[in-house]
Amino acid sequence: ILVCFRNRNFPFNSELISTVDGTGLQWDKSATFLGVTLDENLSWELHCNKVANKMAQGAGILNRVKNLLPTTSLCTLYNSFIFPHYSYCLEAWGACQPKFLKRIAGIQKKAVRSITKSHWLAHSEPSMKKHKILRFNDQHYFQSLSLMYDMLKDQCPDVYNLRSDMNKNNSDHATRSQTDKPTNLRLPSHNTSKLKTTFLSQIPDLWNKLDEETKNAKNRKSFKTSLKTMLLNCYSDKVECSNPRCTDQRSHI
């Protein structure tokens, strides 16, 4: 299966590569590589739908057994049937258009309500803080910054290593910014909106917003612990709700 990624700046001629050694190629608008579905426009819509469908199956299991199992067992089922699906390769596709991610975030909230045996319209943020579950957007933020930490600390393959690029240029100016904070990275500039959602376009800005103590963590474990604690501390035990029909009064301020 060959996927054709159309680019208006690159004239595509299907006659040049329609056959290989006299064998015709089967054209398709999408393909799955290592569990990640790629579409011809790199919108990640197909992959998000695939992830949401798998998560929905796990959420259905949780909903059916929530009154039969304790909370600890429900958390185990969540980490087995739901979390692996949306966390896999999240660094690559987690920054796509919000309309494709909305269903995934909704299913995650539904699963959290099943863990806490709450009403299906209950607020999920207090429950996530209690059970130390990051919201979908924050999970993408968490995994991406963890990868950035590995890249800066030479703890990942050379293909992802920022320092290898810095050595080629014989200058730290390739990624470091000219500020009073030496741990900050230079922000890249792109002309297209699609490139602005890529990993190397968004994560440097998020990295620069971290406090110096977190960025200078001694090891990966301490960095991830500090980062997750910082994210969970932003969650509220009580939320402001102006919906008069809300049934979750116990979570209101």
Side-chain angles (χ1 to χ4, degrees):
I1 300 176
L2 182 64
V3 183
C4 169
F5 296 100
R6 296 183 177 88
N7 189 327
R8 57 188 175 185
N9 297 325
F10 179 76
F12 174 73
N13 188 352
S14 60
E15 297 180 356
L16 297 179
I17 55 175
S18 59
T19 60
V20 175
D21 294 334
T23 303
L25 298 177
Q26 178 183 353
W27 296 94
D28 200 350
K29 294 183 178 180
S30 64
T32 301
F33 179 71
L34 296 178
V36 179
T37 302
L38 305 172
D39 59 83
E40 60 181 349
N41 297 316
L42 283 180
S43 65
W44 302 107
E45 179 180 6
L46 296 178
H47 183 74
C48 290
N49 291 335
K50 179 180 176 181
V51 170
N53 291 336
K54 291 183 177 180
M55 290 177 61
Q57 296 177 2
I61 295 175
L62 279 179
N63 187 53
R64 286 193 292 270
V65 302
K66 65 181 180 180
N67 295 323
L68 303 175
L69 299 175
T71 302
T72 54
S73 298
L74 294 176
C75 289
T76 301
L77 292 178
Y78 175 88
N79 292 327
S80 301
F81 296 140
I82 298 178
F83 178 76
H85 293 304
Y86 71 81
S87 62
Y88 178 68
C89 290
L90 185 58
E91 301 89 340
W93 58 272
C96 65
Q97 298 184 37
K99 63 180 180 180
F100 301 145
L101 304 174
K102 183 178 180 180
R103 185 185 171 203
I104 295 177
I107 296 175
Q108 184 199 29
K109 293 179 180 179
K110 179 181 178 181
V112 172
R113 295 186 185 104
S114 296
I115 293 176
T116 57
K117 304 175 184 180
S118 305
H119 189 268
W120 68 282
L121 289 177
H123 298 286
S124 58
E125 183 173 318
S127 299
M128 289 184 174
K129 182 177 183 179
K130 179 180 179 180
H131 296 284
K132 299 182 180 181
I133 298 176
L134 294 177
R135 290 176 295 200
F136 176 77
N137 291 336
D138 289 336
Q139 184 65 35
H140 170 251
Y141 176 82
F142 173 77
Q143 293 185 204
S144 299
L145 285 178
S146 297
L147 178 58
M148 176 60 72
Y149 178 86
D150 291 340
M151 294 168 66
L152 295 174
K153 300 296 182 180
D154 297 337
Q155 297 178 4
C156 60
D158 290 340
V159 67
Y160 295 115
N161 199 330
L162 289 180
R163 293 192 177 183
S164 62
D165 297 334
M166 292 162 54
N167 293 334
K168 291 179 182 178
N169 297 325
N170 295 322
S171 173
D172 290 345
H173 298 169
T175 54
R176 299 295 180 182
S177 61
Q178 297 300 312
T179 65
D180 55 347
K181 297 182 179 180
T183 57
N184 280 9
L185 300 175
R186 172 172 294 182
L187 301 180
S189 58
H190 297 291
N191 298 326
T192 62
S193 58
K194 188 175 292 294
L195 289 177
K196 292 180 180 179
T197 62
T198 59
F199 174 84
L200 290 179
S201 297
Q202 290 191 340
I203 301 307
D205 183 37
L206 297 177
W207 176 268
N208 293 345
K209 294 178 181 178
L210 289 177
D211 58 275
E212 294 297 315
E213 183 179 356
T214 302
K215 288 189 286 188
N216 294 323
K218 296 181 179 180
N219 51 59
R220 190 173 191 267
K221 182 178 180 180
S222 60
F223 173 82
K224 295 177 68 174
T225 300
S226 176
L227 179 59
K228 187 172 183 177
T229 301
M230 181 189 69
L231 293 173
L232 290 174
N233 288 338
C234 297
Y235 295 4
S236 302
D237 296 322
K238 302 288 185 178
V239 297
E240 295 183 3
C241 180
S242 58
N243 185 2
R245 302 178 60 184
C246 181
T247 59
D248 190 18
Q249 300 296 328
R250 62 180 181 178
S251 298
H252 292 177
I253 297 177

